[in-house]
Amino acid sequence: MLRIRKLPIIGFALFIIVFPWIAGTIPAIGNYPDLMIFAGIYCLITIGLSLLMGYAGQISLGQAAFYGIGAYVSAILTVHFGLSPWFCMVIGMLIASAVAVLVGVPSLKLRGHYLAMATLAFGIIVFIVFNEEIEWTGGPDGISGIPGLSLFGFEFDTVLKYYYLVWFLVFAAFIFTINVIQSRSGRALRAIHISEAASSAMGVNVSRFKIMVFVYSAILASLAGSLYAHYLNFINPSTFDLFFSIKLLIMIALGGMHEVWGAIVGAFLVTFLSFEWLHFFEEFEVIVYGIILLLVTIFLPHGLVGIPGIVKGWFRR
Amino acid sequence: MNETLTEHILEVEEVVMAFGGLMALINLNFQVKKGMIKAIIGPNGAGKTTLFNVITGTFPPTEGAVRFKRQSIERLKAHEIAKLGISRTFQTVELFTNMSVLENVMVGCHTRTRSSFIASGFRLPQVKRKEAQIRSKAMEVLEFIGLTDRSEESADSLPLGDRKILEIGRALATEPELVCLDEPAAGLNETETQAAADLIKRIKEKGITILLVEHDMKVVMDISDEIMVLNYGEKIAEGIPEEIQNNHKVIEAYLGGEEDYA
């Protein structure tokens, strides 16, 4: 029976809460809360992606585009029109879901990996738009001067405050997703992954569920994009390129895509690998990712979160 | 009793199914009376599974009409047909191998319950309540099919006989009025076959109509009220078991040039 235990979630929440205070006392990891903000932003995307890929079995190669849509909608509407960042965030999510429906409906009605191809093309198109629509997006130079976030006069102007904001949202998305997985909708998604024929014979509207979860993943990616934009106050297209979409796939493959925990572990690991631990590889970074991914797929098909299961298996013998 | 027996729950009219140039079903006409077990037999490639796929909406027929309780269903999608009350099993068992026995049946309850993606995400009180309902209904089904003590096991871990039974249970969880069973005894040993046949009879006793594709003639003759014989997509005979056993066209289709068929 699929049961997600509460204890690890509470433990993880406590860790997230106290981490900045611990990091503050150790100079060597003093910059880690800042990295954790990025890890949190990536977690938002990978949580949605894990539901889409690990549970519903659909591949998206264009998740960076939804991330970009969130970031650019927030940036353009706040910088050019002076609208409230929170309002822009919601508009971003609405636009991302509308776009997801447009991309998803034709490709998800078909059986097979049409979504992968459609999103691959879509991701490239969006990337070109970010680069070429100079009047609105600033082209390759991007947009700067994006305002920070504040709520009822409370400014999220320090790393610490933003850290808690991002992680609050990550937990909200995490819990929401876990609840979905443990419900009728989640069972339908897992059923679709194994057999579309049997799912529809059980009355599951297969294409509707696939579209729904794709939209959900797009909304989370867009939210992540908005958070990114308001945190850095500056965006440019290179953040939202095809390689980032691939990197997201690496995250969930590494962490393990059949569990939402995998999305979090993977996002963490790749964030720290790319910002800290793999820095000295410079442009060879891609190769290192390739090797890691290769090893994980061969030896840990369920990703890093599959390790406890393997260890348990040893002891049972 | 007589009144309900004469009512046709399913009517298939002039159904043609062509895959390119291959005619899988040719001008097929038949009816299924409510509350009956109707078997469809025929040599391999006769179009039996294709017929199931047409009835349950896997693909629409090239021509012709399929009516369920007088409603045309031939253009409906599989999930819509499931909702109307037709369920099925698959020749090659299609269980959700990533789930427990209980969860498989719970997916079967999908069509009779409603709870939105968003409501589930927030785990609203009504969602919790419905989950409990689904679970207890699924347990009832498991009790009916006799798999209660394996409810928490992975569906994948069951022996073939139980997997076939579970698939029937999953179909029953959709609360169907008509169940299409595609070779429920294929690959089973004698005891398992007997268990499957008994289960099918008990399903009939619940008032559920059964459409059965099966190669085990002993089972077919034993439990069917009516038999239809297909050969190369055409109906060559229809009647009660005794009539079919003595029908020379049927014997010819089965025997053909082969000598080893008993």
Side-chain angles (χ1 to χ4, degrees), chain A residues 77 83-92:
Chain A
L77 293 185
L83 296 173
S84 145
W86 300 104
F87 178 69
C88 301
M89 214 178 259
V90 175
I91 299 290

Side-chain angles (χ1 to χ4, degrees), chain A residues 1 179 184 187 190 195, chain B residues 94 113 120-121 131 135 152:
Chain A
M1 190 74 196
N179 285 343
R184 171 178 173 273
R187 275 192 301 275
R190 286 155 65 212
S195 167
Chain B
E94 297 253 352
T113 45
S120 322
E131 271 296 293
R135 176 178 283 268
E152 297 299 318

Side-chain angles (χ1 to χ4, degrees), chain B residues 238-252:
Chain B
E238 195 173 17
I240 58 169
E242 292 75 23
E243 290 170 344
I244 298 301
Q245 272 170 318
N246 303 317
N247 186 308
H248 71 274
K249 266 186 173 171
V250 177
I251 297 166
E252 208 172 279

Side-chain angles (χ1 to χ4, degrees), chain A residues 60-241:
Chain A
S60 167
L61 294 171
Q63 226 53 16
F66 293 113
Y67 182 46
I69 286 173
Y72 271 93
V73 168
S74 278
I76 292 170
L77 293 185
T78 50
V79 172
H80 292 285
F81 298 96
L83 296 173
S84 145
W86 300 104
F87 178 69
C88 301
M89 214 178 259
V90 175
I91 299 290
M93 291 192 267
L94 288 176
I95 292 176
S97 32
V99 172
V101 169
L102 282 178
V103 178
V105 166
S107 46
L108 286 171
K109 289 219 165 196
L110 302 167
R111 250 175 235 191
H113 292 304
Y114 292 96
L115 186 69
M117 291 185 243
T119 48
L120 178 66
F122 161 70
I124 293 168
I125 292 167
V126 169
F127 182 66
I128 293 171
V129 171
F130 290 159
N131 271 298
E132 301 298 324
E133 276 297 316
I134 297 171
E135 199 185 321
W136 292 108
T137 65
D141 295 336
I143 302 173
S144 52
I146 305 164
L149 290 171
S150 65
L151 193 64
F152 305 119
F154 180 84
E155 300 269 344
F156 294 95
D157 51 0
T158 64
V159 169
L160 198 63
K161 288 177 190 167
Y162 214 85
Y163 170 96
Y164 284 120
L165 171 70
V166 166
W167 279 99
F168 169 75
L169 292 170
V170 173
F171 269 95
F174 186 44
I175 304 281
F176 188 96
T177 307
I178 286 175
N179 285 343
V180 168
I181 290 166
Q182 288 177 304
S183 75
R184 171 178 173 273
S185 305
R187 275 192 301 275
L189 291 173
R190 286 155 65 212
I192 291 168
H193 196 172
I194 298 295
S195 167
E196 291 194 10
S199 308
S200 51
M202 293 306 113
V204 176
N205 188 341
V206 172
S207 44
R208 189 166 156 264
F209 267 95
K210 288 200 282 192
I211 291 163
M212 218 149 60
V213 64
F214 183 52
V215 167
Y216 178 61
S217 77
I219 288 176
L220 285 182
S222 169
L223 172 65
S226 298
L227 289 171
Y228 176 85
H230 290 300
Y231 180 57
L232 279 194
N233 312 116
F234 163 78
I235 53 170
N236 72 4
S238 66
T239 314
F240 313 104
D241 61 359

Side-chain angles (χ1 to χ4, degrees), chain B residues 184-198 200 214 216 219:
Chain B
L188 303 191
N189 66 31
E190 218 165 299
T191 343
E192 290 171 328
T193 302
Q194 193 53 49
D198 288 343
I200 295 168
E214 185 49 65
D216 187 323
V219 172

